[in-house]
């Protein structure tokens, strides 16, 4: 709560997460990673989110967006340079697709990258970037050929001590306030030609692959926050007495608890299905969108019920439930809104049908 009120990113916690191997969950030991699976990853994100959504969000953005993009699409030289620093936590990773005019429509990226001899020169800005002011490196998407639409967007690795990139506005947020969310501004930001990540023109397509994995993390984040709120409400309902008995003896409260527990299990099962498919190398776009859609919307309902079970005490900051209620809303927005998940799911259903 102290970090939340001060909007303070808990750096000391991230040093410990690095020591525990939680900043390289998905990567092979050869790169300093923990060599764990997507199922393990989901379990770790859930357990951390059950206590603090902000830490889990920053951890998820580091592991499954920034670091994973470098690991999955990087050359061996790029992996060798960045992965050991990222898996140890020496550097955190940020990942920037969103721009002021390119949110859900991420193909509308305006940031440009122009080749100049042995360098690329980036100009533009990225907003709402998790870890932006605390990261050592960012993966950023920029237009390299404006005549090709989405297929003219490429990905780049930008080290954040580069004088051509600066951290802009830090957002003052409803929830997830201990996570770092800032704008990144590139003004003639020169990076070596070898910092192109993946193939020229594949940046947007690669980003969609990265989001397929990332959404499993947001689903797990939702399950964790929902569980934290549910567990607090369950305990409270057994202690709080009204009309001469614990409120958990009233049918209305029992039904809330039953619905919450069932939705948490359903959300986790969808998350685990997506994680298992990802681990098996099977198509995961639909499964991860379904997990993210259901888990995040269910988690919003569950934190609302948890607050209601607390009555007036749910509305004050002496109890943890109001923070879960605020934090969870991000889950229906980040890494694609619920509306965008429905478009993704419907596209998959209809293409299967035809
Ligand atoms: C705390 C936080 C952290 C974030 N971290 C990152 C990060 O690390 N990296 C990054 O790149 N981005 C990040 N984001 C950005 C996030 O992914 C975007 O906010 C999100 O994709 C939505 O884009 P937008 O905010 O521009 O909303 P818009 O796209 O403007 O959407 C506004 C509304 O219109 C709806 N809408 C838009 N298009 C359609 C459509 N075709 N059909 C139906 N409805 C539609 C949306 O669902 C939404 O309800 C973060 C955002 C937040 C708030």
């Amino acid at each position: 709560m102290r970090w939340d009120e001060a909007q303070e990113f808990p750096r000391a916690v991230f040093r410990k997460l690095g020591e525990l191997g939680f900043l390289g969950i998905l990567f092979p030991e050869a790169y300093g990673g923990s060599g764990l699976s997507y199922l393990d990853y989901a379990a770790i994100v859930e357990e951390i989110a059950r206590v603090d959504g902000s830490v889990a969000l920053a951890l998820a953005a580091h592991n499954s967006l920034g670091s994973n993009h470098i690991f999955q699409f990087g050359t061996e030289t790029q992996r060798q340079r960045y992965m050991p620093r990222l898996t140890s936590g020496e550097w955190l990773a940020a990942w920037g697709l969103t721009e002021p005019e390119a949110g859900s429509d991420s193909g509308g990226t305006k940031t440009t990258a122009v080749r100049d001899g042995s360098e690329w020169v980036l100009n533009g800005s990225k907003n709402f970037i998790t870890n932006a002011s605390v990261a050592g490196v960012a993966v950023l998407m920029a237009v390299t050929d404006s005549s090709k639409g989405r297929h003219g967007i490429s990905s780049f690795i930008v080290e954040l001590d580069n004088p051509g990139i600066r951290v802009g506005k830090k957002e003052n947020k409803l929830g997830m306030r201990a996570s770092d969310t800032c704008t990144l501004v590139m003004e003639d930001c020169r990076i070596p030609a070898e910092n192109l990540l993946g193939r020229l023109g594949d940046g947007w397509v690669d980003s969609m692959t990265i989001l397929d994995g990332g959404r499993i993390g947001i689903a797990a984040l939702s399950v964790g926050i929902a569980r934290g709120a549910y567990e607090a409400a369950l305990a409270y309902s057994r202690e709080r007495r009204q009309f001469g008995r614990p409120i958990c003896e009233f049918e209305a409260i029992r039904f809330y608890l039953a619905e919450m527990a069932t939705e948490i299990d359903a959300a986790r099962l969808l998350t685990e299905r997506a994680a298992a498919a990802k681990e098996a190398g099977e198509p995961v776009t639909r499964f991860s969108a379904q997990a993210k859609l259901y888990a995040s919307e269910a988690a919003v309902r569950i934190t609302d019920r948890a607050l209601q079970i607390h009555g007036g005490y749910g509305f004050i900051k002496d109890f943890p439930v109001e923070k879960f209620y605020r934090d969870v809303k991000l889950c229906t927005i980040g890494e694609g809104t619920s509306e965008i998940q429905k478009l993704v799911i419907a596209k998959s259903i209809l293409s299967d049908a035809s």
Side-chain angles (χ1 to χ4, degrees), residues 53-67:
S54 290
V55 172
L57 174 65
L59 177 140
H62 167 84
N63 273 281
S64 65
L65 297 182
S67 301

Side-chain angles (χ1 to χ4, degrees), residues 2-17:
R2 187 167 51 75
W3 301 331
D4 178 83
E5 294 199 333
Q7 295 206 79
E8 176 189 332
F9 180 81
R11 282 180 184 271
V13 169
F14 276 80
R15 278 192 284 278
K16 289 185 186 168
L17 290 171

Side-chain angles (χ1 to χ4, degrees), residues 150-170:
R150 291 170 173 177
H151 298 285
I153 295 173
S154 305
S155 309
F156 296 90
I157 303 174
V158 182
E159 296 183 15
L160 293 172
D161 61 356
N162 185 314
I165 188 163
R166 66 181 165 84
V167 175
K169 182 177 177 228
K170 177 182 163 91

Side-chain angles (χ1 to χ4, degrees), residues 57 61 65 95-100 102-105 127-130 173 176 179 181 330 333-340 343:
L57 174 65
L65 297 182
W95 189 81
L97 181 63
T98 305
E99 298 185 358
S104 299
D105 181 14
N127 69 336
F128 294 148
I129 305 307
T130 302
K173 307 195 292 291
M176 300 290 197
S179 74
T181 315
L330 182 268
I333 297 167
E335 300 198 29
T337 62
S338 291
E339 293 76 18
I340 295 302
L343 293 181

Side-chain angles (χ1 to χ4, degrees), residues 105-221:
D105 181 14
S106 55
T109 295
K110 298 274 187 293
T111 295
T112 56
V114 176
R115 184 75 187 250
D116 182 18
S118 62
E119 294 177 320
W120 287 98
V121 185
L122 274 64
N123 278 288
S125 69
K126 297 284 172 184
N127 69 336
F128 294 148
I129 305 307
T130 302
N131 296 338
S133 82
V134 294
V137 66
V139 173
L140 302 175
M141 278 41 86
V143 176
T144 44
D145 184 346
S146 59
S147 69
K148 293 189 176 158
R150 291 170 173 177
H151 298 285
I153 295 173
S154 305
S155 309
F156 296 90
I157 303 174
V158 182
E159 296 183 15
L160 293 172
D161 61 356
N162 185 314
I165 188 163
R166 66 181 165 84
V167 175
K169 182 177 177 228
K170 177 182 163 91
E171 303 297 348
N172 183 6
K173 307 195 292 291
L174 167 75
M176 300 290 197
R177 287 167 59 83
S179 74
D180 179 69
T181 315
C182 302
T183 302
L184 283 173
V185 182
M186 286 78 71
E187 287 162 329
D188 291 332
C189 177
R190 293 184 167 269
I191 59 170
E194 60 266 24
N195 281 24
L196 171 72
L197 178 60
R199 291 195 322 203
L200 190 67
D202 278 357
W204 187 83
V205 175
D206 292 350
S207 295
M208 295 304 109
T209 303
I210 292 301
L211 283 174
D212 282 346
R215 286 170 183 158
I216 298 170
I218 302 297
L221 179 65

